[in-house]
Each structure stands twice: as C-alpha cells, then as structure tokens.
Amino acid sequence: MHSIIHKAKEYSTKGDLILLVTPNSDWSKFDLSANELKFIKRQLNDGKTSVEVNQYTRYVFVECLDTCLDPFALLEDARKRGAKIAVKCNNGAIACVSIIDLTTCNLSIYIAEGMALANYQFLKYFSDSESKQNTLKFIHVDAEDTVIQNMNAVISGTMHARDFVNEPLSYLTALQFSEDMMTLGDAVGFDVEVLHEKQIEALHMGGLLAVNKGAVEPPTFNVLTYNPEGARNSKPIVLVGKGIVYDTGGLSLKPTSNSMDMMKCDMGGAATVVGVMYALAEAKIPVHVVGLIPATENRPGLSAYAPGDVIYMMDGSSVEVLNTDAEGRLVMADALTYAKRYDPELVVDFATLTGAAVRAIGKYGIVGMGSASSEDQQRLLDSGMKTYERLAMMPFWDEYGELLKSEIADLKNLGPAEAGQITAGKFLEYFTDYPWMHFDIAGPAFLVQDDHYRLKGGTGTGVRMMFDFLLSKSNF
Ligand code: BES
Ligand code: MN
Ligand code: ZN
C-alpha cells in the first residue's frame, strides 16, 4: 500500500498548505497578502477556528487550535480537523499538501492521521472506480522518520482491516480470507499457516466445526506469526480475532428486517488482528506476536447445528448450545484453547461478539474485560485514550459466570437477557488459563454513517489502539 504521509521538504511552504496556529502565531513567512491576513484575523476574531484562503494558485487552510484542551482531546480534535481538510482537498482536486505547525504541540502528524484515515475509499465494485478516486496522495509533515513510518504502517493496517470488513461474503469466504491473509503476510513479512477442515477435525475444534456444519464453504483456522529478530518479549503476545465471515444466526435465524444487513462485518475482530500484524511487520516493531483466526460462515444449512445440541470443545468440555446465533463465543473458545500452546505473556481477543455491547455504549468505544495484569490493563486504557479507540471496562465478577451453568453440560452458550456482553466474556474466560483481555467491538467495528475520519462501513477499530499498546511495550 502506498504511504500517504511524507517528510516535509524545503519547498513545502510553496504549494497547498495547512497552517496550525494559535491567535498570536507569526504569520510572516507564508506569502499571505495584507488583505488575506486581514481576512484571516477577522474570521478568527469572529470565533471561527478553521479558515480557508483560496489564493487561486493554491489553498491555505488555517487551523486555530485550542491548545488548552486536555492532551487526548487535542489529538482527537486534530484528527477531526484533518478529516474535514481531506474532504476539502479532494473537492479542490489537490494531490499534495504540506502541514506547518506554528504551535508548540507537534500536532502535524495527527492532522495527517485524520486526513489519511478520512481519505480511505472502497471502490473495488464500481465500474468507474478510476474516476471516483480521491485526488489527495501526499501529505508532507515535519516529524521524525520513525514517527512517520509508524503512522503510515498503522494507517495501512487500519485500511486493510477496513477492506476485509467491507468485502461481502460473495467474495470473502473463509478460504478467500485465508488466501488474502497470506498475500498480506508475504507483502510485509509475517507468516500465515492455514489449517483446513481435516486439520481442524484432528484438533477436535468442536466449536468451530459445529458453527461450520450449516455452512456452504469449509472453515479455516489461521495462525499468523510475526517473530522478528530482536523481539523484546520472550513469551509471545497472542491476538485472537472472531472470523465469522457472515452471521445469519444459523437456525436461530436473525430476523431479516435490517438485523442481518451488516453481518458481513462479523469478521471485524479477525480484520483487526490482521491489521495489527500488518502494521507491526511493516513498521518492523521488535515484538513477537501470534494471531489466531477461526473463520467460517454461520448459516442454517441442512446439517446445521441446532438449539439444544451438546457439543465438545477442543479442550474437551461440553457445551449446551441454546442459541446458534451465539456462535462467536464457540469459535473463539477453541482459538483461546489453541493459544495455550504458546505459554503466552498475554492474550488479547477482538470480536464483534454481542448486541449487548452495542446497547451498552454504542459506537463510541470498545467494551473490555479480562484478567490481564493491572499494569497491562492500564497501558491498554492509555493506548485507547491516545488513539481515541477508547476502552470501557466492564465489571467481571464471578456471579456473571454462574449464569452459564447448564442442566446437562459443563456450560451453556447463552446467558440471561441482562449483561449479555459480560456473560459472553465469561464464556470465553472459561477457556483461558493465561493473562487475557477480551474486547467486544460490535459497536464501533461497522458504521452506517460517517463519523469524522471513521467512515461508513468497516472502521478497522482496534488496530490503532493495539499497535500503540504493542509499540509502547516494545519500547521497554
Ligand atoms: N455477531 C453478533 C453480534 C453483533 C451484533 C455484531 C450487532 C455486530 C452488530 C453475534 O454473533 C450475535 O448474534 N450475538 C447475539 C448473542 C445472543 C444470541 C446471546 C446477540 O448479541 O444478540
Ligand atoms: Mn450471531
Ligand atoms: Zn456473530
């Protein structure tokens, strides 16, 4: 993927320009006429914080930042402004723009981040995709090389995650998903091992196999490995992603009016994991990470698993299936069991797991819970704030786990109506014996409306948060 953010050059102040300012900045160096300066000053005095000057030979976008905002709000404000400017650049047929920061806050890279993320398009299925292409291709910033490299890498990872989520089932079957992961792995340098149906049977992954019974296409279990020389962690960090390439609910069929419309997004967790692996490999971050992705459709085919079935999971425990639409936890449980073989330092899973998570906090953040050390949890919370992929930690008391006791098996896959996001997490916890966090991304993974730089469709949520977390861990 072509990098959009580049280091600023000498001539950068000549072309289209974004000026980050405070009211008392020094305006003298940017070829603004006395009239233009007067115009800018008047707009700022009127309380505007974004001013656009069309000099005919170029645009100058002036952004007056409120540097009194708290640090996280300031970064997010910068990204949102970037998103607005990206739209203006494309409307003005601009290909290349430079950002000059006259404040003391080093915000150029975050403006660029918002611009780049807002510049994303998914045009594959348009006949005239060429003519629909955004014009913006280069953003010049004055920042350190590694800062720019890391930002480009995490943006590429996010965009790949978005692409996967936006791909419909008509293209992205489990097998195709595996193929595409291998292509990305080859491109940037992580390994992808694909386990096929026979191997999944040999591993007794009863959760993944049960969900796949009603499917048309075979399942895959994907093992992504990034273990660079000089990795700082001796025990790997394992990321697990829910890869339900389409969720009809199975025999517990989802009602057709709307509730199935966006279910191509149900591999959003898997997309996040691939996106993180891609970003780490492209940026050559020295950390040993393994990604585990169980993939299948959930469909009500003739041999579909049925409510009331008892299935045996990979770890040997029995599960009473009371709702075939609670399929995510079944495929995730087997992947969490598989993770045990790595003796991991930490396991983090991402899943579009429950409607309850959406009802709890909507699209504004990620629902989190788990058993990781308080140090790692704090580090995750910090990365969430910094990237504004915020984490809302749930209580995780034992009582929620007791709600999954079954009359006829070790546990059931369905809890009561309340706290569904937490009982789903408790189901997963049953299959873990290592420090672990569960992130339910059902709310933010897929949007029906643009939200600044998070565009309609797949958002790639979690990639930026997790990359920041792993980067900060690798710096120790
Ligand atoms: N994939 C859904 C959860 C979901 C809902 C994702 C909305 C994205 C947006 C999951 O498999 C599901 O169907 N969950 C059920 C669980 C229930 C049957 C216990 C739900 O939340 O309704
Ligand atoms: Mn479901
Ligand atoms: Zn699902």
Side-chain angles (χ1 to χ4, degrees):
M1 195 172 276
H2 132 100
S3 311
I4 186 164
I5 306 177
H6 300 263
K7 188 127 176 144
K9 306 261 167 52
E10 304 289 317
Y11 58 79
S12 292
T13 56
K14 297 288 174 222
D16 295 284
L17 204 60
I18 299 166
L19 289 181
L20 311 183
V21 305
T22 59
N24 356 321
S25 296
D26 173 12
W27 304 85
S28 56
K29 284 181 270 177
F30 307 102
D31 296 322
L32 290 158
S33 71
N35 270 341
E36 286 162 350
L37 280 170
K38 234 187 265 168
F39 169 72
I40 295 169
K41 283 275 146 67
R42 200 178 69 218
Q43 297 276 305
L44 295 182
N45 284 340
D46 283 355
K48 288 239 173 71
T49 59
S50 300
V51 184
E52 185 182 327
V53 183
N54 181 350
Q55 294 183 313
Y56 300 109
T57 54
R58 68 160 182 186
Y59 285 91
V60 179
F61 302 102
V62 177
E63 295 293 330
C64 187
L65 289 138
D66 179 1
T67 51
C68 298
L69 290 174
D70 86 60
F72 300 130
L74 187 58
L75 302 188
E76 182 64 359
D77 181 52
R79 291 182 199 102
K80 287 179 175 174
R81 287 171 187 261
K84 285 213 182 88
I85 299 172
V87 173
K88 290 183 182 172
C89 287
N90 286 312
N91 289 340
I94 293 173
C96 172
V97 66
S98 303
I99 308 175
I100 310 278
D101 190 353
L102 303 178
T103 77
T104 53
C105 300
N106 277 324
L107 292 167
S108 300
I109 193 74
Y110 300 102
I111 296 273
E113 180 180 27
M115 292 179 77
L117 291 168
N119 204 41
Y120 171 80
Q121 294 180 289
F122 186 73
L123 299 175
K124 179 177 164 187
Y125 293 103
F126 287 112
S127 311
D128 57 342
S129 58
E130 284 290 293
S131 66
K132 285 190 156 70
Q133 280 254 352
N134 284 338
T135 57
L136 182 63
K137 301 280 185 259
F138 299 93
I139 305 165
H140 292 281
V141 301
D142 182 12
E144 278 173 46
D145 288 334
T146 52
V147 169
I148 294 175
Q149 276 162 25
N150 289 347
M151 188 57 85
N152 279 323
V154 78
I155 286 166
S156 296
T158 301
M159 292 188 173
H160 284 301
R162 288 178 178 184
D163 280 348
F164 280 128
V165 172
N166 289 332
E167 282 288 1
L169 175 63
S170 52
Y171 171 79
L172 201 71
T173 61
L175 280 171
Q176 186 63 55
F177 196 9
S178 297
E179 293 264 323
D180 289 4
M181 287 183 221
M182 294 203 284
T183 307
L184 292 187
D186 287 343
V188 289
F190 60 86
D191 183 70
V192 181
E193 185 190 4
V194 182
L195 307 185
H196 291 280
E197 191 159 19
K198 286 277 165 301
Q199 293 155 292
I200 294 168
E201 282 167 5
L203 287 164
H204 304 290
M205 289 186 163
L208 178 54
L209 290 166
V211 175
N212 182 254
K213 277 180 77 180
V216 180
E217 304 283 339
T220 62
F221 188 82
N222 306 276
V223 182
L224 288 56
T225 308
Y226 173 63
N227 189 7
E229 246 170 75
R232 300 284 157 79
N233 50 334
S234 47
K235 298 205 253 171
I237 295 171
V238 177
L239 308 180
V240 180
K242 172 176 172 182
I244 297 295
V245 288
Y246 197 82
D247 185 11
T248 68
L251 285 175
S252 310
L253 194 64
K254 289 181 186 294
T256 43
S257 56
N258 298 327
S259 71
M260 223 183 276
D261 294 4
M262 53 188 250
M263 278 306 144
K264 68 174 184 180
C265 81
D266 215 17
M267 30 54 69
T272 298
V273 170
V274 184
V276 174
M277 303 288 297
Y278 185 95
L280 291 172
E282 189 180 285
K284 300 192 163 59
I285 306 301
V287 56
H288 179 188
V289 179
V290 173
L292 301 176
I293 294 172
T296 176
E297 325 126 48
N298 182 27
R299 287 217 219 207
L302 282 181
S303 39
Y305 76 139
D309 278 359
V310 175
I311 63 173
Y312 288 96
M313 308 295 286
M314 182 181 178
D315 75 342
S317 42
S318 58
V319 171
E320 182 187 13
V321 176
L322 286 175
N323 190 318
T324 63
D325 198 12
E327 85 297 340
R329 62 197 73 184
L330 299 175
V331 305
M332 293 296 279
D334 283 340
L336 291 168
T337 298
Y338 191 92
K340 291 176 184 171
R341 69 175 58 196
Y342 293 96
D343 183 24
E345 171 182 333
L346 172 68
V347 176
V348 180
D349 82 62
F350 291 89
T352 49
L353 205 62
T354 66
V358 190
R359 288 189 292 277
I361 68 163
K363 67 181 180 187
Y364 300 100
I366 297 173
V367 166
M369 62 204 85
S371 61
S373 68
S374 51
E375 195 198 333
D376 273 343
Q377 293 205 31
Q378 190 54 53
R379 199 189 281 275
L380 285 161
L381 283 164
D382 291 346
S383 292
M385 287 308 295
K386 186 161 175 221
T387 57
Y388 240 63
E389 298 189 321
R390 292 168 293 181
L391 307 178
M393 297 297 189
M394 296 289 121
F396 211 40
W397 301 311
D398 293 343
E399 285 80 356
Y400 293 109
E402 288 161 21
L403 299 171
L404 295 173
K405 290 216 163 98
S406 160
E407 303 279 305
I408 69 162
D410 298 340
L411 72 169
K412 56 185 179 184
N413 80 332
L414 188 65
E418 64 269 24
Q421 74 278 33
I422 305 178
T423 51
K426 280 290 170 188
F427 184 93
L428 300 183
E429 184 186 40
Y430 184 90
F431 299 88
T432 67
D433 67 358
Y434 36 66
W436 160 76
M437 288 308 286
H438 162 57
F439 291 130
D440 193 331
I441 58 170
F446 192 91
L447 301 183
V448 291
Q449 263 192 329
D450 287 352
D451 174 26
H452 303 276
Y453 57 89
R454 298 172 185 89
L455 305 183
K456 208 176 337 196
T459 58
T461 190
V463 175
R464 292 166 50 248
M465 183 275 292
M466 203 59 208
F467 180 82
D468 187 77
F469 170 79
L470 292 166
L471 180 63
S472 81
K473 273 193 87 95
S474 78
N475 281 335
F476 269 72

